[in-house]
């Protein structure tokens, strides 16, 4: 299936991360902010894991277009890791032990998962994770209310990351099916594993960050009660993604069958015209419903 978007690696982007971004940049809300911060801490090692799992099968790829897509996928994922490294330096300055959190992520992904699971399984988990990041791109930016009160610079960083996830969302999936020959049962099992492990990992990182921030146990309990309702409750962040998420479990599913983001073109046009990812992120946000 032909991709509707061109995979375009973009580098040397300036999001203004060295500026006066508030600690709680997401509506002044510690839980919402730290949830996204927790994702950012996972991303650098996660991107390296995705690259390694796709590279396992690169030499077996015969299709020249898929070979080119893999090359650009690797370049995009590597750049995502670099920018989130830059973002995560802000967290270190706030007292978050980013090095420890990243060491834990590295141990899980590289010392346990890649060392003890077959390459076809780790590729299937990569394809599942790529689907999750792609549908989160839709959830975060097609509903304007979600990130309406976020700092524009951080919102722009996640917008750029999201748009590039949309561009390459089928690469790992195509390698998984066309080259590795992963079947339906392994594909859906991998999605269940990734869904559970990713959410658990993010929430554990969030828990740690809120403790470092100095909130009392009672304060954290209130933050968690309100935050989990916002995240998983009716009308919450993830509930709006349910149908898109469940599509992955349909036999014959392919990422390009559904989920073309209507405002992707606006982000791309703004970025190409201005070269400014923050302006592009604001244009994307303004187009949300």
């Amino acid at each position: 299936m032909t991709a509707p978007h061109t995979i375009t690696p973009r580098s040397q982007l300036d999001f203004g991360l060295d500026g006066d971004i508030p600690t709680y940049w997401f509506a002044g809300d510690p839980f919402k902010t730290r949830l996204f911060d927790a994702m950012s801490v996972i991303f650098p090692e996660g991107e390296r894991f995705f690259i390694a799992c796709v590279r396992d099968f690169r030499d077996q790829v015969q299709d020249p277009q898929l070979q080119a897509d893999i090359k650009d996928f690797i370049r995009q994922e590597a750049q995502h890791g670099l920018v989130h490294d830059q973002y995560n330096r802000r967290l270190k300055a706030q007292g978050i032990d980013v090095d420890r959190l990243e060491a834990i992520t590295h141990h899980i992904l590289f010392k346990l998962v890649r060392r003890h699971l077959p390459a076809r399984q780790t590729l299937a988990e990569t394809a599942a994770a790529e689907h999750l990041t792609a549908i989160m791109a839709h959830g975060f930016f097609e509903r304007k209310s979600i990130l309406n009160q976020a700092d524009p610079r951080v919102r722009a960083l996640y917008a750029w990351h999201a748009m590039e996830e949309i561009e390459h969302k089928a690469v790992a999936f195509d390698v998984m099916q066309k080259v590795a020959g992963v079947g339906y049962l392994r594909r859906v099992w991998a999605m269940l594993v990734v869904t559970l492990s990713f959410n658990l990992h993010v929430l554990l990182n969030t828990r740690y960050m809120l403790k470092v921030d100095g909130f009392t146990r009672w304060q954290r309990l209130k933050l968690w009660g309100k935050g989990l309702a916002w995240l998983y409750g009716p009308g919450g962040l993830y509930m709006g993604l349910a149908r898109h998420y469940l599509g992955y479990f349909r036999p014959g599913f392919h990422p390009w069958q559904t989920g073309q983001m209507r405002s992707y073109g606006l982000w791309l046009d703004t970025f190409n015209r201005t070269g400014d990812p923050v302006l592009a992120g604001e244009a994307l946000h303004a187009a949300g419903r």
Side-chain angles (χ1 to χ4, degrees):
M1 183 172 293
T2 303
H5 305 318
T6 301
I7 304 173
T8 306
R10 302 167 181 90
S11 59
Q12 298 181 329
L13 304 180
D14 183 5
F15 293 96
L17 298 180
D18 294 329
D20 58 345
I21 298 172
T23 299
Y24 300 127
W25 54 265
F26 194 154
D29 187 306
F31 181 89
K32 293 179 180 180
T33 298
R34 290 314 193 192
L35 182 85
F36 277 82
D37 290 348
M39 292 185 197
S40 184
V41 170
I42 293 171
F43 284 146
E45 290 295 334
E47 308 289 16
R48 294 177 190 114
F49 175 83
F50 300 157
I51 290 169
C53 294
V54 171
R55 275 180 171 159
D56 286 338
F57 295 88
R58 190 177 187 178
D59 291 345
Q60 302 175 41
V61 176
Q62 302 297 319
D63 179 5
Q65 183 59 57
L66 185 54
Q67 275 283 9
D69 288 345
I70 291 171
K71 179 180 178 181
D72 289 333
F73 163 85
I74 290 172
R75 291 175 62 197
Q76 281 190 333
E77 295 290 57
Q79 187 63 26
H80 295 173
L82 290 174
V83 174
H84 280 281
D85 278 335
Q86 181 185 359
Y87 179 86
N88 293 342
R89 288 197 287 272
R90 294 182 58 257
L91 304 180
K92 288 185 181 182
Q94 297 167 12
I96 304 298
D97 192 348
V98 172
D99 292 340
R100 175 173 171 266
L101 295 178
E102 288 187 337
I104 292 170
T105 304
H106 178 84
H107 180 79
I108 293 170
L109 296 180
F110 288 91
K111 304 300 183 183
L112 297 179
V113 176
R114 277 189 58 78
R115 181 171 294 178
H116 296 291
L117 294 181
R120 293 170 73 241
Q121 177 65 25
T122 61
L123 178 63
E125 292 182 10
T126 296
E130 288 292 301
H131 183 68
L132 289 184
T133 53
I135 66 175
M136 284 192 285
H138 290 265
F140 297 165
F141 293 100
E142 292 205 320
R143 295 164 61 192
K144 189 174 183 178
S145 61
I146 295 295
L147 291 173
N148 195 44
Q149 298 182 63
D151 185 281
R153 293 157 292 187
V154 183
R155 185 166 61 208
L157 184 156
Y158 276 97
W160 157 74
H161 191 153
M163 296 307 100
E164 293 196 348
E165 291 296 332
I166 293 292
E167 289 178 349
H168 70 232
K169 68 178 183 176
V171 174
F173 189 94
D174 285 342
V175 175
M176 175 183 73
Q177 292 214 307
K178 295 178 181 179
V179 182
V182 170
Y184 175 77
L185 291 180
R186 187 184 292 273
R187 169 162 69 86
V188 299
W189 170 247
M191 175 57 81
L192 293 173
V193 169
V194 169
T195 300
L196 178 61
S197 59
F198 176 76
N199 277 275
L200 181 61
H201 199 160
V202 170
L203 292 176
L204 287 173
N205 279 0
T206 303
R207 174 178 176 269
Y208 161 75
M209 291 180 182
L210 291 174
K211 289 184 70 175
V212 170
D213 286 343
F215 292 105
T216 66
R217 182 174 297 181
W218 175 242
Q219 288 172 326
R220 295 198 306 272
L221 183 62
K222 290 192 291 185
L223 287 170
W224 277 96
K226 183 179 178 181
L228 290 176
W230 166 79
L231 190 59
Y232 297 111
L237 182 65
Y238 286 156
M239 288 302 293
L241 307 177
R243 187 169 68 174
H244 198 165
Y245 169 78
L246 292 172
Y248 198 84
F249 294 87
R250 186 177 68 248
F253 167 84
H254 187 275
W256 288 125
Q257 290 173 346
T258 59
Q260 279 59 282
M261 192 167 181
R262 64 182 184 84
S263 52
Y264 164 83
L266 177 61
W267 181 91
L268 183 64
D269 289 345
T270 306
F271 180 81
N272 287 343
R273 187 178 69 256
T274 66
D276 188 332
V278 177
L279 289 178
E282 288 304 274
L284 179 69
H285 174 66
R289 294 172 179 167

